[in-house]
mmCIF file of all heavy atoms in Angstrom:
data_model
loop_
_atom_site.group_PDB
_atom_site.id
_atom_site.type_symbol
_atom_site.label_atom_id
_atom_site.label_comp_id
_atom_site.label_asym_id
_atom_site.label_seq_id
_atom_site.Cartn_x
_atom_site.Cartn_y
_atom_site.Cartn_z
ATOM 1 N N ALA A 139 16.874 0.057 40.853
ATOM 2 C CA ALA A 139 17.581 -1.204 41.092
ATOM 3 C C ALA A 139 18.970 -1.175 40.470
ATOM 4 O O ALA A 139 19.953 -1.596 41.093
ATOM 5 C CB ALA A 139 16.771 -2.370 40.518
ATOM 6 N N LYS A 140 19.063 -0.644 39.250
ATOM 7 C CA LYS A 140 20.363 -0.597 38.576
ATOM 8 C C LYS A 140 21.336 0.314 39.303
ATOM 9 O O LYS A 140 22.535 0.002 39.420
ATOM 10 C CB LYS A 140 20.176 -0.140 37.124
ATOM 11 C CG LYS A 140 19.456 -1.160 36.258
ATOM 12 C CD LYS A 140 19.126 -0.598 34.889
ATOM 13 C CE LYS A 140 18.310 -1.583 34.071
ATOM 14 N NZ LYS A 140 17.905 -1.032 32.762
ATOM 15 N N GLU A 141 20.847 1.437 39.809
ATOM 16 C CA GLU A 141 21.729 2.339 40.551
ATOM 17 C C GLU A 141 22.241 1.671 41.826
ATOM 18 O O GLU A 141 23.428 1.796 42.176
ATOM 19 C CB GLU A 141 20.987 3.630 40.883
ATOM 20 C CG GLU A 141 20.725 4.502 39.664
ATOM 21 C CD GLU A 141 19.777 5.654 39.948
ATOM 22 O OE1 GLU A 141 19.368 5.787 41.131
ATOM 23 O OE2 GLU A 141 19.459 6.408 39.013
ATOM 24 N N ALA A 142 21.350 0.943 42.516
ATOM 25 C CA ALA A 142 21.766 0.243 43.733
ATOM 26 C C ALA A 142 22.783 -0.853 43.403
ATOM 27 O O ALA A 142 23.774 -1.033 44.125
ATOM 28 C CB ALA A 142 20.544 -0.353 44.427
ATOM 29 N N ILE A 143 22.541 -1.581 42.320
ATOM 30 C CA ILE A 143 23.479 -2.620 41.890
ATOM 31 C C ILE A 143 24.826 -1.998 41.535
ATOM 32 O O ILE A 143 25.889 -2.531 41.876
ATOM 33 C CB ILE A 143 22.899 -3.389 40.687
ATOM 34 C CG1 ILE A 143 21.705 -4.235 41.137
ATOM 35 C CG2 ILE A 143 23.964 -4.269 40.020
ATOM 36 C CD1 ILE A 143 20.865 -4.754 39.982
ATOM 37 N N GLY A 144 24.785 -0.864 40.835
ATOM 38 C CA GLY A 144 26.022 -0.185 40.463
ATOM 39 C C GLY A 144 26.854 0.169 41.677
ATOM 40 O O GLY A 144 28.075 -0.054 41.704
ATOM 41 N N ARG A 145 26.208 0.705 42.708
ATOM 42 C CA ARG A 145 26.934 1.077 43.928
ATOM 43 C C ARG A 145 27.505 -0.159 44.636
ATOM 44 O O ARG A 145 28.640 -0.144 45.112
ATOM 45 C CB ARG A 145 26.021 1.851 44.867
ATOM 46 C CG ARG A 145 25.621 3.238 44.360
ATOM 47 C CD ARG A 145 24.923 4.044 45.436
ATOM 48 N NE ARG A 145 23.658 3.447 45.845
ATOM 49 C CZ ARG A 145 22.478 3.729 45.287
ATOM 50 N NH1 ARG A 145 22.409 4.597 44.289
ATOM 51 N NH2 ARG A 145 21.360 3.164 45.726
ATOM 52 N N ALA A 146 26.699 -1.226 44.700
ATOM 53 C CA ALA A 146 27.160 -2.437 45.374
ATOM 54 C C ALA A 146 28.335 -3.072 44.638
ATOM 55 O O ALA A 146 29.286 -3.566 45.260
ATOM 56 C CB ALA A 146 26.007 -3.437 45.496
ATOM 57 N N CYS A 147 28.274 -3.053 43.310
ATOM 58 C CA CYS A 147 29.383 -3.607 42.534
ATOM 59 C C CYS A 147 30.635 -2.749 42.678
ATOM 60 O O CYS A 147 31.741 -3.271 42.856
ATOM 61 C CB CYS A 147 28.980 -3.730 41.068
ATOM 62 S SG CYS A 147 30.274 -4.434 40.025
ATOM 63 N N ALA A 148 30.465 -1.429 42.606
ATOM 64 C CA ALA A 148 31.616 -0.530 42.730
ATOM 65 C C ALA A 148 32.323 -0.721 44.061
ATOM 66 O O ALA A 148 33.548 -0.558 44.153
ATOM 67 C CB ALA A 148 31.161 0.915 42.553
ATOM 68 N N ALA A 149 31.555 -1.071 45.103
ATOM 69 C CA ALA A 149 32.156 -1.285 46.423
ATOM 70 C C ALA A 149 33.081 -2.501 46.436
ATOM 71 O O ALA A 149 33.941 -2.623 47.326
ATOM 72 C CB ALA A 149 31.067 -1.454 47.472
ATOM 73 N N LEU A 150 32.929 -3.405 45.472
ATOM 74 C CA LEU A 150 33.791 -4.586 45.385
ATOM 75 C C LEU A 150 35.108 -4.295 44.675
ATOM 76 O O LEU A 150 36.019 -5.133 44.693
ATOM 77 C CB LEU A 150 33.066 -5.710 44.631
ATOM 78 C CG LEU A 150 31.719 -6.177 45.177
ATOM 79 C CD1 LEU A 150 31.120 -7.222 44.252
ATOM 80 C CD2 LEU A 150 31.872 -6.724 46.586
ATOM 81 N N ILE A 151 35.203 -3.134 44.030
ATOM 82 C CA ILE A 151 36.353 -2.810 43.186
ATOM 83 C C ILE A 151 37.198 -1.745 43.870
ATOM 84 O O ILE A 151 36.745 -0.610 44.042
ATOM 85 C CB ILE A 151 35.876 -2.332 41.801
ATOM 86 C CG1 ILE A 151 35.091 -3.459 41.116
ATOM 87 C CG2 ILE A 151 37.061 -1.892 40.952
ATOM 88 C CD1 ILE A 151 34.381 -3.034 39.862
ATOM 89 N N PRO A 152 38.411 -2.069 44.295
ATOM 90 C CA PRO A 152 39.240 -1.079 44.984
ATOM 91 C C PRO A 152 39.893 -0.104 44.011
ATOM 92 O O PRO A 152 39.940 -0.345 42.787
ATOM 93 C CB PRO A 152 40.300 -1.941 45.678
ATOM 94 C CG PRO A 152 40.412 -3.158 44.816
ATOM 95 C CD PRO A 152 39.042 -3.400 44.238
ATOM 96 N N ASP A 153 40.361 1.004 44.548
ATOM 97 C CA ASP A 153 41.189 1.908 43.751
ATOM 98 C C ASP A 153 42.406 1.149 43.222
ATOM 99 O O ASP A 153 42.784 0.094 43.737
ATOM 100 C CB ASP A 153 41.652 3.088 44.607
ATOM 101 C CG ASP A 153 40.518 4.025 44.996
ATOM 102 O OD1 ASP A 153 39.455 3.980 44.343
ATOM 103 O OD2 ASP A 153 40.705 4.792 45.961
ATOM 104 N N ASN A 154 43.023 1.704 42.175
ATOM 105 C CA ASN A 154 44.235 1.116 41.594
ATOM 106 C C ASN A 154 43.974 -0.260 40.984
ATOM 107 O O ASN A 154 44.857 -1.125 40.995
ATOM 108 C CB ASN A 154 45.347 1.020 42.638
ATOM 109 C CG ASN A 154 45.676 2.357 43.262
ATOM 110 O OD1 ASN A 154 46.106 3.284 42.581
ATOM 111 N ND2 ASN A 154 45.428 2.481 44.560
ATOM 112 N N SER A 155 42.754 -0.458 40.466
ATOM 113 C CA SER A 155 42.389 -1.728 39.843
ATOM 114 C C SER A 155 42.272 -1.576 38.334
ATOM 115 O O SER A 155 42.133 -0.471 37.810
ATOM 116 C CB SER A 155 41.052 -2.233 40.392
ATOM 117 O OG SER A 155 41.118 -2.510 41.752
ATOM 118 N N SER A 156 42.287 -2.722 37.664
ATOM 119 C CA SER A 156 41.990 -2.764 36.232
ATOM 120 C C SER A 156 40.742 -3.607 36.032
ATOM 121 O O SER A 156 40.520 -4.588 36.754
ATOM 122 C CB SER A 156 43.157 -3.353 35.442
ATOM 123 O OG SER A 156 43.456 -4.673 35.888
ATOM 124 N N LEU A 157 39.912 -3.202 35.082
ATOM 125 C CA LEU A 157 38.678 -3.949 34.854
ATOM 126 C C LEU A 157 38.188 -3.760 33.435
ATOM 127 O O LEU A 157 38.583 -2.820 32.741
ATOM 128 C CB LEU A 157 37.591 -3.528 35.833
ATOM 129 C CG LEU A 157 37.063 -2.082 35.787
ATOM 130 C CD1 LEU A 157 35.602 -2.032 36.230
ATOM 131 C CD2 LEU A 157 37.888 -1.186 36.703
ATOM 132 N N ILE A 158 37.305 -4.686 33.026
ATOM 133 C CA ILE A 158 36.599 -4.588 31.755
ATOM 134 C C ILE A 158 35.113 -4.506 32.049
ATOM 135 O O ILE A 158 34.577 -5.298 32.827
ATOM 136 C CB ILE A 158 36.872 -5.790 30.832
ATOM 137 C CG1 ILE A 158 38.367 -5.968 30.570
ATOM 138 C CG2 ILE A 158 36.135 -5.615 29.505
ATOM 139 C CD1 ILE A 158 38.708 -7.189 29.729
ATOM 140 N N LEU A 159 34.445 -3.530 31.443
ATOM 141 C CA LEU A 159 32.992 -3.375 31.544
ATOM 142 C C LEU A 159 32.387 -3.620 30.166
ATOM 143 O O LEU A 159 32.834 -3.031 29.181
ATOM 144 C CB LEU A 159 32.629 -1.971 32.020
ATOM 145 C CG LEU A 159 32.918 -1.625 33.480
ATOM 146 C CD1 LEU A 159 32.741 -0.131 33.703
ATOM 147 C CD2 LEU A 159 31.997 -2.392 34.403
ATOM 148 N N ASN A 160 31.353 -4.455 30.097
ATOM 149 C CA ASN A 160 30.792 -4.750 28.778
ATOM 150 C C ASN A 160 29.536 -3.934 28.500
ATOM 151 O O ASN A 160 29.250 -2.946 29.172
ATOM 152 C CB ASN A 160 30.560 -6.257 28.611
ATOM 153 C CG ASN A 160 29.264 -6.762 29.219
ATOM 154 O OD1 ASN A 160 28.718 -6.171 30.144
ATOM 155 N ND2 ASN A 160 28.767 -7.876 28.702
ATOM 156 N N ILE A 161 28.776 -4.338 27.504
ATOM 157 C CA ILE A 161 27.612 -3.606 27.036
ATOM 158 C C ILE A 161 26.449 -3.792 28.007
ATOM 159 O O ILE A 161 26.234 -4.883 28.524
ATOM 160 C CB ILE A 161 27.196 -4.112 25.639
ATOM 161 C CG1 ILE A 161 28.349 -3.942 24.643
ATOM 162 C CG2 ILE A 161 25.956 -3.395 25.140
ATOM 163 C CD1 ILE A 161 28.118 -4.665 23.327
ATOM 164 N N GLY A 162 25.693 -2.724 28.244
ATOM 165 C CA GLY A 162 24.474 -2.863 29.022
ATOM 166 C C GLY A 162 24.172 -1.650 29.874
ATOM 167 O O GLY A 162 25.070 -0.906 30.276
ATOM 168 N N THR A 163 22.906 -1.464 30.172
ATOM 169 C CA THR A 163 22.508 -0.329 30.991
ATOM 170 C C THR A 163 22.910 -0.520 32.449
ATOM 171 O O THR A 163 23.126 0.462 33.164
ATOM 172 C CB THR A 163 20.989 -0.107 30.900
ATOM 173 O OG1 THR A 163 20.295 -1.305 31.260
ATOM 174 C CG2 THR A 163 20.581 0.267 29.475
ATOM 175 N N THR A 164 23.032 -1.760 32.914
ATOM 176 C CA THR A 164 23.456 -1.992 34.297
ATOM 177 C C THR A 164 24.954 -1.758 34.446
ATOM 178 O O THR A 164 25.397 -1.203 35.462
ATOM 179 C CB THR A 164 23.073 -3.407 34.759
ATOM 180 O OG1 THR A 164 21.700 -3.652 34.484
ATOM 181 C CG2 THR A 164 23.303 -3.565 36.257
ATOM 182 N N THR A 165 25.741 -2.141 33.461
ATOM 183 C CA THR A 165 27.177 -1.844 33.534
ATOM 184 C C THR A 165 27.417 -0.338 33.446
ATOM 185 O O THR A 165 28.388 0.169 34.013
ATOM 186 C CB THR A 165 27.962 -2.578 32.436
ATOM 187 O OG1 THR A 165 27.373 -2.337 31.155
ATOM 188 C CG2 THR A 165 27.996 -4.080 32.701
ATOM 189 N N GLU A 166 26.535 0.382 32.772
ATOM 190 C CA GLU A 166 26.640 1.843 32.771
ATOM 191 C C GLU A 166 26.400 2.404 34.171
ATOM 192 O O GLU A 166 27.045 3.372 34.585
ATOM 193 C CB GLU A 166 25.652 2.441 31.769
ATOM 194 C CG GLU A 166 26.029 2.154 30.325
ATOM 195 C CD GLU A 166 24.965 2.594 29.348
ATOM 196 O OE1 GLU A 166 24.190 3.514 29.685
ATOM 197 O OE2 GLU A 166 24.892 2.009 28.249
ATOM 198 N N ALA A 167 25.479 1.789 34.920
ATOM 199 C CA ALA A 167 25.253 2.199 36.306
ATOM 200 C C ALA A 167 26.490 1.935 37.155
ATOM 201 O O ALA A 167 26.832 2.726 38.040
ATOM 202 C CB ALA A 167 24.045 1.467 36.883
#
């Protein structure tokens, strides 16, 4: 589930972006 969530979230983030990722095993995905 975490890997699928990671892919779906990454699809929302375009190249040339800035972001903050916090603590957690899902944010690691």
